[in-house]
Amino acid sequence: MISLPECPISGYTIRPATEADLNIIVELDRSHMKAEVEKLYPGGWDEKNARTIVADNLQRSCVLMFQGHVVGAFYWWIEEPSTAVMHSIQVVPGHRNKGLGRWLMSCFEAGAKAEGLKRFGLAVFRGNRAIELYKRLGYKVTGTDGPNAIEMQKIIAIKS
């Protein structure tokens, strides 16, 4: 098991996701992404595909806990050449704007570094306020992911 950064906000913890968390992670994605996907791509939300993506990446998924409840999650995968790609990072509305997104991104990066990866990527819808967070964390715009999203990357040096 990798060592994840400790949460700077009291009361929050993170743990690796289990199969028992599959439904809640899919629900988090649905509740935070479906409306945006449907607005940009009518009929584009595919529930079965969303579930498959989460299930296929459960080994690289974590859940954010507060008082015994899941209040956020993220999952990622590896794309060649050796890039860790954040697919989804969600925090429920009542827990946002506390620095949890920054912390979850540091947990994602720690997990990717533990697998020897030094390039991190993500795609985000244009206009999403998280873009500013990603920029503050060192991510640079590297292209587009269709007409409605941008791709961002961060490359770090691995210390020997």
Side-chain angles (χ1 to χ4, degrees):
M1 170 127 183
I2 65 162
S3 176
L4 296 175
E6 188 173 322
C7 185
I9 300 108
S10 179
Y12 290 90
T13 58
I14 193 166
R15 65 170 172 74
T18 66
E19 287 215 23
D21 298 312
L22 180 63
N23 289 337
I24 190 71
I25 296 171
V26 172
E27 171 57 31
L28 283 167
D29 271 1
R30 181 187 318 109
S31 66
H32 294 99
M33 291 174 43
K34 182 179 178 180
E36 188 70 15
V37 169
E38 289 290 333
K39 181 173 71 176
L40 298 170
Y41 309 99
W45 181 260
D46 181 338
E47 187 75 17
K48 184 178 178 184
N49 186 52
R51 178 177 274 308
T52 299
I53 290 171
V54 174
D56 288 351
N57 294 287
L58 206 54
Q59 77 277 9
R60 291 192 180 95
S61 302
C62 288
V63 291
L64 173 64
M65 304 295 296
F66 183 75
Q67 297 180 347
H69 299 283
V70 175
V71 297
F74 70 83
Y75 55 95
W76 60 280
W77 59 65
I78 298 174
E79 283 184 5
E80 295 304 322
S82 303
T83 301
V85 177
M86 172 63 79
H87 180 54
S88 177
I89 180 169
Q90 308 294 342
V91 176
V92 299
H95 296 269
R96 293 180 184 164
N97 302 312
K98 297 180 180 192
L100 293 167
R102 174 183 294 273
W103 177 56
L104 292 177
M105 287 298 291
S106 71
C107 292
F108 153 60
E109 291 177 5
K113 287 177 193 175
E115 293 198 33
L117 303 170
K118 63 180 183 176
R119 182 182 309 244
F120 313 130
L122 55 88
V124 59
F125 288 121
R126 293 180 188 277
N128 187 318
R129 17 180 274 179
I131 293 169
E132 293 309 313
L133 167 65
Y134 302 141
K135 286 179 179 178
R136 287 192 305 272
L137 295 175
Y139 287 77
K140 308 272 187 242
V141 175
T142 57
T144 60
D145 186 9
N148 301 307
I150 59 171
E151 292 180 342
M152 301 180 83
Q153 276 194 2
K154 175 179 177 180
I155 301 172
I156 56 125
I158 301 280
K159 295 178 180 135
S160 350

